[in-house]
């Protein structure tokens, strides 16, 4: 922001880059980010992941495990551009952190390991970015490792992701001899001196001339498909300028037509500065991303747009919440239009409630800078918001609209949890409540029958970190039970029913009558549809019916597991002028659902996991046989590198507890695997009966 004669004016928005660094675990995201912070002057000493000194991994659990758990935000500058960076986790258990970051970013750098290529979480993140139509460039890291393969990784990107990748750089030297880069746009070459940070310009090596010509020709040929200027000059064999190539490539990236590929070794400080140049040259600014589209709060069919301009009304999205022991709740927001000032009042359009902005902070990982205002294109944290949660839309008063919220993945693992000291029950409940508010992929509930507190998450590591944070951040020693599969319940046929609830106790009674249809919902969500005509049920009682439906579904009606894939259509009803109330309709709904559930042919669902196994050839038969015995299925296999294969398939989570030890024994410790949730499927009847019986025993039935 500039200040002229005491008045604020809008900055040049086309110099802002809201950037995410995303990848599979261990591909080198955080190391790449640390080098970016060093080369842009934010840090004066390079922090390393392996020694727990990385700036972006500031949580104790991240430093101990050497992985990123929570997305961290930091603001820096390169040349004339402001770069807001979010470093995201690579482990599948923390995929929500990636999801909510992608929702508010303008562009991403996808980091791939030059040895591992496209790995399972790379695919997941890529498809998440597709959902939000986020432009991206790729950085092939670890080019100095044995087995590094730039052409092979580019081929995997094309085959597995449909990325339309184009090499913009070529390495000078392979594996341990990797020492420099050739830029295929400028036709310049550089070499990096080991043990130093210096880069020197060198002639393109003679033995690379043919390779450079081939790759440069391929680059121009691909760009010609999307740019008429390049097409005309390419076909006419006219010279094409560096500026023309960059402009054409930038347009193609913004339209999701190509993925420029760069390479280097972040750990050895090779290629990171050239990657920063690429971020500025090819990734979008808020202006490039254009207007954000929402809809009217009163009329969901009425679309409303906001362009990234200071002259537009304020509109932003809350995408992350952190409870900081020093400043309280920090609500991270992306500002899409207008501006928000400290001390001002804004409207949470999702809830309809007014909120006061106490303070505004720009976050530098675990450090913070106080600001007076956030403007269009900014990412920052607001202090003082009480009722705002992840995915909520924030607006100026009288200028409300609703933006598309954030997709939350399903939880797949349940564990019971209790404090070591019985006096800490209230403390445990409050701590879990705060953590669930920060992390919507963590679910907390109390089983009504066993009275146990149950937490649900994305995997065993996710829940282990929760328990660790309870101790380190909230000073509560807690013990987890044995991890269990997070089954779900659903219905397989529709049923129409009328229920009357009448209770007289001497004074005012309770009366409600509802007619409804319950049916399978192919979208997999719980859906409440109000079809009441003529006001037979007053509007003030409808929320009670909706709440009764959702509470009953959450408690489960077969074996105590939450129900999904159910639509409740409210058709008609009756009221009593004295005895009817919202509570009466809520209770009536719950009674009705419990009474008729058997007529809807309820079934149990189990989480199905996508699995990828990397194994030497000689162990393939035993591993595939073991997966088959676990009710799994290998869908395809492909050559990973010489002498090894990648096996891809699906397998029920129920069969996979303890699989790491089995795989280690089957492969003499030489195979590895990763899993992620893909969908819920019907549980076979014989196993479903076992699960129901086990649940009844645990619940004292």
């Amino acid at each position: 922001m500039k200040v002229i004669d005491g008045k604020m004016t809008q900055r040049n928005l086309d110099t802002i880059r809201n950037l995410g660094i995303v990848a599979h675990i261990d591909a080198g995201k955080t190391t790449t980010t640390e080098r970016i912070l060093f080369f842009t002057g934010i840090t004066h000493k390079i922090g390393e992941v392996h020694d727990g000194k990385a700036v972006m991994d500031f949580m104790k659990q991240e430093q101990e495990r050497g992985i990123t758990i929570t997305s961290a935000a930091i603001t820096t500058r390169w040349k004339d551009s402001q770069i807001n960076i979010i470093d995201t986790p690579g482990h599948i258990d923390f995929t929500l952190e990636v999801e909510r970051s992608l929702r508010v970013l303008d562009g991403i750098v996808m980091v791939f390991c030059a040895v591992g290529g496209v790995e399972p979480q790379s695919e997941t993140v890529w498809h998440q970015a597709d959902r939000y139509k986020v432009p991206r460039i790729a950085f092939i890291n670890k080019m100095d490792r044995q087995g590094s393969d730039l052409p092979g990784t580019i081929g995997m990107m094309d085959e597995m992701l449909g990325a339309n990748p184009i090499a913009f750089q070529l390495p000078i030297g392979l594996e341990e001899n990797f020492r420099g880069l050739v830029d295929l746009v400028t036709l310049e070459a550089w070499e990096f001196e080991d043990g130093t940070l210096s880069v020197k310009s060198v002639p393109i090596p003679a033995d690379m001339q043919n390779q450079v010509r081939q790759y440069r020709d391929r680059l121009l040929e691909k760009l010609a498909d999307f740019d008429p200027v390049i097409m005309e000059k390419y076909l006419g064999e006219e010279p094409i300028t560096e500026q023309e190539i960059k402009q054409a490539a930038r347009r193609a990236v913004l339209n999701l037509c190509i993925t420029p590929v760069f390479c280097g070794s972040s750990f050895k400080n090779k290629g990171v500065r050239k990657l920063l140049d690429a971020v500025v040259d090819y990734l979008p600014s808020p202006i490039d991303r254009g207007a954000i589209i929402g809809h009217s709060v009163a009329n969901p069919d009425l679309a409303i747009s906001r362009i990234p301009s200071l002259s537009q009304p304020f509109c932003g999205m809350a995408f992350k919440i952190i409870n900081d022991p020093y400043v309280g709740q920090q609500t991270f927001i992306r500002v899409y239009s207008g501006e928000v000032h400290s001390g001002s009042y804004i409207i949470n359009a999702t809830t309809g409630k007014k909120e006061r902005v106490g303070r505004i902070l720009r976050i530098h990982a675990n450090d913070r800078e106080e600001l007076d205002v956030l403007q269009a294109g900014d990412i920052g944290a607001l202090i003082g918001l009480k009722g705002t949660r992840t995915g909520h839309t924030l607006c100026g008063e009288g200028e409300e609209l609703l933006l598309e919220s954030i997709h939350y993945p399903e939880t797949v693992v349940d564990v019971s949890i209790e404090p070591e000291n019985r006096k800490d029950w209230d403390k445990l409940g409050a701590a879990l409540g705060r953590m669930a508010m920060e992390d919507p992929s963590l679910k907390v509930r109390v089983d009504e029958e066993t009275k146990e507190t149950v937490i649900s998450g994305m995997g065993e590591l996710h829940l282990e970190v929760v328990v660790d944070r309870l101790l380190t951040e909230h000073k509560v020693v807690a013990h987890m039970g044995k991890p269990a599969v997070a089954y779900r319940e659903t219905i397989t046929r529709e049923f129409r029913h009328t229920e009357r609830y009448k209770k007289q106790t001497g004074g005012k009674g309770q009366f409600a009558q509802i007619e409804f249809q319950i049916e399978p919902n192919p979208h997999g969500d719980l859906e409440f549809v109000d079809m009441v005509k003529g006001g037979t049920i007053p509007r003030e009682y409808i929320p009670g019916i909706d709440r009764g439906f959702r509470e009953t579904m959450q408690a489960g009606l077969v074996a105590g597991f939450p129900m999904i894939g159910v639509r409740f259509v409210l058709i008609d009803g009756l009221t009593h002028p004295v005895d009817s109330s919202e509570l009466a309709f809520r209770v009536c709904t719950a009674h009705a659902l419990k009474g008729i559930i058997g007529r809807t042919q309820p079934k149990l669902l189990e989480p199905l996991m996508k699995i990828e196994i990397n194994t030497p050839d000689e162990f393939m038969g035993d591993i595939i046989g073991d997966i088959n015995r676990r009710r799994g299925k290998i869908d395809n296999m492909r050559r990973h590198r010489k002498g090894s294969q990648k096996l891809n398939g699906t397998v029920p989570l129920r069969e996979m507890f303890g699989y790491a030890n089995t795989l280690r024994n089957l492969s003499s410790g030489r195979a590895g695997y990763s899993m992620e949730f893909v969908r819920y499927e019907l549980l076979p009847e014989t196993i479903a009966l076992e699960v129901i019986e086990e649940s009844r025993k645990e619940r004292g039935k």
Side-chain angles (χ1 to χ4, degrees):
M1 184 189 311
K2 298 177 182 177
V3 179
I4 301 175
D5 295 331
K7 295 183 179 180
M8 292 178 293
T9 64
Q10 190 171 5
R11 307 151 303 181
N12 199 356
L13 279 176
D14 61 9
T15 64
I16 297 176
R17 301 290 182 272
N18 288 313
L19 168 69
I21 312 284
V22 294
H24 186 87
I25 191 170
D26 286 337
K29 299 175 310 304
T30 300
T31 301
T32 301
T33 309
E34 293 297 321
R35 297 314 188 266
I36 288 173
L37 299 184
F38 178 76
F39 287 124
T40 57
I42 290 294
T43 59
H44 302 288
K45 181 178 183 298
I46 296 174
E48 303 293 4
V49 175
H50 62 265
D51 61 13
K53 298 296 175 61
V55 172
M56 301 299 273
D57 284 350
F58 55 87
M59 288 174 58
K60 178 176 180 289
Q61 292 77 16
E62 294 175 313
Q63 294 165 356
E64 290 174 348
R65 290 171 170 82
I67 62 171
T68 303
I69 291 170
T70 182
S71 52
I74 199 161
T75 298
T76 186
R77 299 193 68 83
W78 182 248
K79 296 184 176 176
D80 295 326
S81 293
Q82 173 183 314
I83 302 178
N84 301 316
I85 302 173
I86 296 183
D87 174 41
T88 60
H91 196 287
I92 189 62
D93 281 17
F94 308 103
T95 189
L96 176 66
E97 291 291 337
V98 183
E99 183 82 28
R100 58 184 173 186
S101 298
L102 287 174
R103 177 64 182 83
V104 298
L105 291 170
D106 294 326
I108 59 176
V109 174
M110 285 286 300
V111 180
F112 296 94
C113 172
V115 180
V118 177
E119 298 179 276
Q121 184 66 356
S122 308
E123 292 186 75
T124 300
V125 172
W126 191 271
H127 296 317
Q128 287 174 309
D130 282 341
R131 180 185 296 127
Y132 297 116
K133 296 181 171 56
V134 184
R136 64 215 82 159
I137 63 177
F139 181 65
I140 311 299
N141 191 26
K142 304 186 181 182
M143 289 299 300
D144 56 333
R145 294 284 185 89
Q146 184 176 357
S148 61
D149 184 359
L150 179 66
T153 302
I154 290 176
M156 292 174 73
M157 290 175 62
D158 200 23
E159 176 190 348
M160 299 172 63
L161 305 176
N164 201 8
I166 306 175
F168 274 53
Q169 293 174 341
L170 291 178
I172 300 175
L174 300 175
E175 299 179 334
E176 68 271 14
N177 296 318
F178 171 62
R179 63 185 185 279
L181 296 168
V182 175
D183 189 312
L184 296 173
V185 175
T186 64
L187 293 178
E188 297 174 304
W190 305 277
E191 285 192 355
F192 308 96
E193 295 184 15
D194 281 335
T196 74
L197 299 175
S198 64
V199 183
K200 64 178 181 179
S201 178
V202 297
I204 296 175
D207 62 352
M208 289 186 66
Q209 294 285 347
N210 287 336
Q211 184 189 24
V212 169
R213 273 194 296 271
Q214 290 172 2
Y215 273 86
R216 161 94 170 185
D217 197 56
R218 194 177 304 167
L219 186 156
L220 295 176
E221 185 180 350
K222 287 246 190 177
L223 289 180
D225 290 339
F226 308 105
D227 191 274
V229 174
I230 301 291
M231 171 71 80
E232 184 178 344
K233 290 194 170 187
Y234 179 72
L235 293 177
E237 298 184 352
E238 300 176 37
I240 303 172
T241 67
E242 172 188 335
Q243 195 60 29
E244 287 171 333
I245 295 173
K246 286 187 175 181
Q247 288 174 351
R250 180 178 179 81
R251 284 192 292 269
V253 169
L254 299 187
N255 290 314
L256 307 179
C257 297
I258 66 168
T259 306
V261 178
F262 304 87
C263 60
S265 170
S266 297
F267 184 65
K268 296 290 183 64
N269 308 307
K270 297 177 180 179
V272 177
R273 282 169 281 194
K274 301 302 176 185
L275 177 64
L276 276 166
D277 290 341
V279 166
V280 173
D281 288 340
Y282 303 114
L283 286 180
S285 70
I287 295 286
D288 296 317
R289 291 288 275 165
I292 187 81
I293 308 296
H295 63 81
S296 164
V297 175
N299 180 6
D301 295 326
L302 177 61
I304 302 175
S305 66
R306 294 277 190 270
I307 62 172
S309 167
L310 194 61
S311 63
Q312 290 273 294
F314 164 65
C315 176
M317 171 168 279
F319 69 96
K320 184 178 176 63
I321 292 172
I322 292 179
N323 284 289
D324 188 285
Y326 301 104
V327 299
Q329 180 178 308
Q330 299 177 357
T331 304
F332 282 74
I333 71 163
R334 161 70 192 269
V335 182
Y336 289 105
S337 63
E339 60 184 8
V340 58
H341 294 262
S342 60
S344 65
Y345 285 91
I346 57 177
I347 298 296
N348 183 327
T350 307
T351 64
K353 301 293 178 61
K354 183 183 285 191
E355 296 263 32
R356 183 178 183 276
V357 180
R359 298 162 60 196
I360 299 176
L361 303 178
R362 174 165 285 148
I363 307 299
H364 301 292
N366 61 341
D367 200 5
R368 54 188 74 85
E369 168 194 2
E370 191 134 0
L371 302 176
D372 294 325
V373 63
L374 285 178
Q375 289 186 318
D378 272 333
I379 289 177
L382 306 184
I383 309 299
L385 306 191
K386 304 296 184 185
T388 298
R389 301 292 180 263
T390 297
H392 285 188
T393 304
L394 303 173
C395 300
E397 196 166 357
E399 304 287 352
E400 295 91 341
L401 77 158
L402 276 172
L403 301 176
E404 179 189 352
S405 191
I406 296 173
H407 170 77
Y408 299 143
E410 288 283 349
T411 58
V412 295
V413 176
D414 291 346
V415 296
S416 61
I417 188 169
E418 62 179 25
E420 185 175 70
N421 189 330
R422 307 296 292 180
K423 294 185 295 185
D424 286 342
W425 271 112
D426 290 344
K427 200 173 175 183
L428 173 67
L432 287 173
R434 286 194 294 272
M435 292 171 71
M437 185 170 64
E438 293 179 11
D439 176 8
S441 67
L442 172 67
K443 308 295 184 188
V444 183
R445 62 184 172 88
V446 175
D447 189 296
E448 293 299 324
E449 306 218 10
T450 65
K451 303 305 179 186
E452 286 183 319
T453 298
V454 178
I455 56 175
S456 305
M458 301 303 299
E460 293 179 73
L461 177 61
H462 184 197
L463 298 180
E464 285 173 13
V465 168
V466 167
V467 173
D468 200 358
R469 288 184 61 198
L470 283 171
L471 176 61
T472 57
E473 297 175 23
H474 302 281
K475 312 306 178 192
V476 177
V477 180
H479 298 297
M480 286 197 306
K482 185 179 177 182
V485 177
Y487 296 104
R488 293 292 183 265
E489 301 174 11
T490 193
I491 63 175
T492 58
R493 61 171 292 184
E494 63 184 41
F495 187 76
R496 188 162 178 161
H497 179 68
T498 299
E499 179 83 7
R500 173 176 289 198
Y501 173 67
K502 187 175 181 180
K503 187 175 182 181
Q504 201 68 41
T505 56
K508 180 183 175 182
Q510 296 286 345
F511 178 88
Q513 181 172 310
I514 56 173
E515 181 183 350
F516 65 93
Q517 181 165 295
I518 187 171
E519 59 193 36
N521 183 4
H523 299 298
D525 302 320
L526 294 179
E527 184 180 358
F528 178 83
V529 181
D530 177 12
M531 299 288 290
V532 173
K533 306 293 183 185
T536 53
I537 302 178
R539 306 311 305 165
E540 63 265 26
Y541 298 154
I542 302 295
I545 302 171
D546 187 1
R547 187 175 173 187
F549 161 62
R550 295 183 186 279
E551 287 177 345
T552 308
M553 294 296 99
Q554 181 63 31
L557 293 170
V558 180
F561 301 109
M563 299 197 87
I564 60 174
V566 180
R567 181 184 289 120
F568 183 102
V569 182
L570 181 62
I571 300 168
D572 203 354
L574 290 175
T575 61
H576 186 279
V578 176
D579 293 344
S580 289
S581 64
E582 183 179 347
L583 175 62
F585 277 93
R586 181 174 148 201
V587 173
C588 179
T589 304
H591 282 185
L593 291 169
K594 290 173 183 176
I596 68 161
I597 195 64
R599 302 186 186 186
T600 64
Q601 294 183 356
K603 302 286 184 182
L604 288 191
L605 301 169
E606 64 176 340
L608 191 71
M609 312 300 286
K610 182 168 72 173
I611 187 168
E612 179 169 288
I613 304 170
N614 297 330
T615 176
D617 291 343
E618 61 264 35
F619 305 117
M620 275 180 51
D622 289 341
I623 289 172
I624 292 173
D626 181 68
I627 289 293
N628 290 337
R629 284 190 291 274
R630 295 171 185 267
R631 296 190 289 123
K633 177 185 175 186
I634 298 298
D635 297 317
N636 64 71
M637 59 187 74
R638 62 182 183 276
R639 179 69 56 189
H640 178 41
R641 59 176 73 93
K642 187 176 180 180
S644 69
Q645 298 277 347
K646 276 192 176 183
L647 310 178
N648 292 90
T650 53
V651 62
L653 178 62
R654 174 186 172 92
E655 312 297 336
M656 295 303 288
F657 290 113
Y659 181 67
N661 289 333
T662 301
L663 184 62
R664 192 177 300 118
N665 293 334
L666 288 173
S667 65
S668 301
R670 294 172 61 195
Y673 81 105
S674 62
M675 285 194 313
E676 62 178 286
F677 172 76
V678 60
R679 64 181 178 273
Y680 275 98
E681 282 202 344
L682 288 175
L683 189 62
E685 199 66 35
T686 53
I687 301 177
L689 292 173
E690 291 177 21
V691 172
I692 293 170
E693 185 60 31
E694 289 170 7
S695 175
R696 284 175 176 164
K697 286 180 180 176
E698 290 175 5
R699 297 157 67 84
K701 289 186 177 178

